[in-house]
Amino acid sequence: MEAEGQSKAGDWTLEKESAPQGISSVAPRSQFVDSFYTLDGATKAELSCNGWFKTYNFGSKEAVRKRWSAAAKAGADYIASDQYEELGAFLKALHSEAN
């Protein structure tokens, strides 16, 4: 979604919001699975106690939730996160809101 990776991603913008939709629209025609790899938003303390890597981290829950939302709304086949329990709850809530 962001060319230089999580640690250099910067602020979420309207341009970035449309990126997952573009990826997801091409994947089925190309017979690819569109996956978003390691979308994490953990504090330094969470990184340390869980053994997660800082290089795959957007730095906050607020930042990663924007990316989870964009990937989910684009219909991503797979969203990877070390925070799988929180991601699962987030996606369930997002699905409930949509219905």
Side-chain angles (χ1 to χ4, degrees), residues 24-63:
S24 292
S25 68
V26 172
R29 293 191 311 255
S30 305
Q31 298 182 349
F32 290 112
V33 172
D34 59 327
S35 60
F36 295 89
Y37 178 72
T38 318
L39 299 182
D40 296 332
T43 64
K44 287 182 182 182
E46 288 173 313
L47 291 172
S48 177
C49 73
N50 289 296
W52 298 336
F53 297 101
K54 68 179 180 179
T55 53
Y56 295 125
N57 186 31
F58 289 103
S60 72
K61 297 217 190 305
E62 178 186 350

Side-chain angles (χ1 to χ4, degrees), residues 1-2 6 19-24 33-39 67-68 70-72 74-81 87:
M1 261 196 301
E2 294 164 279
Q6 294 89 327
Q21 189 63 43
I23 293 167
S24 292
V33 172
D34 59 327
S35 60
F36 295 89
Y37 178 72
T38 318
L39 299 182
R67 287 147 176 97
W68 289 346
D77 294 311
Y78 183 75
I79 303 170
S81 178
L87 172 59

